[in-house]
Amino acid sequence: MPSSPVHDPVRHLLVLGGTTEARRLAAALAEEPGVRVTSSLAGRVAAPRLPAGEVRIGGFGGPEGLARWLREHAVDALIDATHPFAGTISFHAAQAAATAHVPLLALRRPGWVARPGDVWHPVPSLDAAATALPALGSRVFLTTGRMGLAHFAHLTDLWFLVRSVDAPEPPHPPRMTTVLDRGPFTLDGERELLRRHRIDVLVTKDSGAAATAPKLAAAREAGVPVVVVQRPPVPEGVPVADEPGAAVDWVRALLG
Ligand SMILES: NC(=O)c1ccc[n+]([C@@H]2O[C@H](COP(=O)([O-])OP(=O)(O)OC[C@H]3O[C@@H](n4cnc5c(N)ncnc54)[C@H](OP(=O)(O)O)[C@@H]3O)[C@@H](O)[C@H]2O)c1
């Protein structure tokens, strides 16, 4: 008699990571009974902080590659816990999940909200931030990451303090000092950076992260304007959890 296919009772979850929330989620899911979690990292950072559970590193080769990975590794649910500005992978995740018929959740921390005293200039993109800068200041604290520096490379009259995890590569603005560091940052530390470098304008993405929020308080205190790059949208139809606990609840409800 032919045997019927045997289902692996352990459910396999794939977390698209690269964020603090993704590491927290992987740690929480690793404690769940009957669950196996794999985190995927893009491989951008030379020495990434590794999450709990299994880890794979590198791109999938577009949405088709991700759909293939989901099938070949019998993934039961996909959680896109990437950075709010990692727009490409989020759209690939939506396409791949639909193709492979795998349930998808986006984990997105809420964006920052302006407080009294903040002087924020919301812009839709890094290019729009670069366009806005000359009218706002001449000594720029640029915290949007080394991958986007090319958008500011033509601003030869402005001086930039660039903070990134790994050293930036050209093209980048010609007048630039680099601070290699990664959060969490402190209010005292951010105040000191603004003061020491006589910063008169700050550029940030609306990442919403607590670890990088002290720069906003320091800018508020110093009366420094902030150019805030707005987030790309979450793909249509994808449910969103705003913190790792809510994502764990989604997994529990899904897997019963
Ligand atoms: N953008 C930011 O400001 C920012 C800040 C902090 C951390 N991060 C993290 O850094 C990673 C890359 O960000 P990005 O803005 O360059 O992404 P992106 O523009 O959305 O993605 C570009 C390509 O990188 C690959 N990729 C991205 N995230 C991946 C992941 N978690 N696992 C496997 N492959 C991934 C995919 O390659 P294939 O098409 O080959 O699959 C994707 O098409 C993300 O995981 C994100 O969470 C980003």
Side-chain angles (χ1 to χ4, degrees), residues 13-82:
L13 308 174
L14 177 63
V15 175
L16 301 175
T19 58
T20 308
E21 284 73 15
R23 280 194 302 279
R24 287 200 187 127
L25 177 63
L29 291 176
E31 299 293 313
E32 289 286 301
V35 160
R36 168 182 160 228
V37 54
T38 303
S39 292
S40 173
L41 304 178
R44 298 277 188 283
V45 175
R49 291 173 181 156
L50 291 178
E54 295 161 49
V55 179
R56 67 161 298 289
I57 297 182
F60 294 94
E64 303 79 16
L66 177 52
R68 202 176 317 117
W69 204 97
L70 295 174
R71 284 198 213 92
E72 287 174 356
H73 295 81
V75 171
D76 294 289
L78 174 62
I79 298 130
D80 167 22
T82 56

Side-chain angles (χ1 to χ4, degrees), residues 141 161-165 177-181 193 197:
F141 184 18
L161 176 67
V162 169
R163 181 164 63 195
S164 60
V165 177
T177 294
T178 308
V179 182
L180 295 186
D181 205 353
L193 269 188
H197 295 285

Side-chain angles (χ1 to χ4, degrees), residues 209-225:
T212 54
K215 64 187 169 191
L216 300 173
R220 185 184 311 126
E221 284 178 8
V224 167

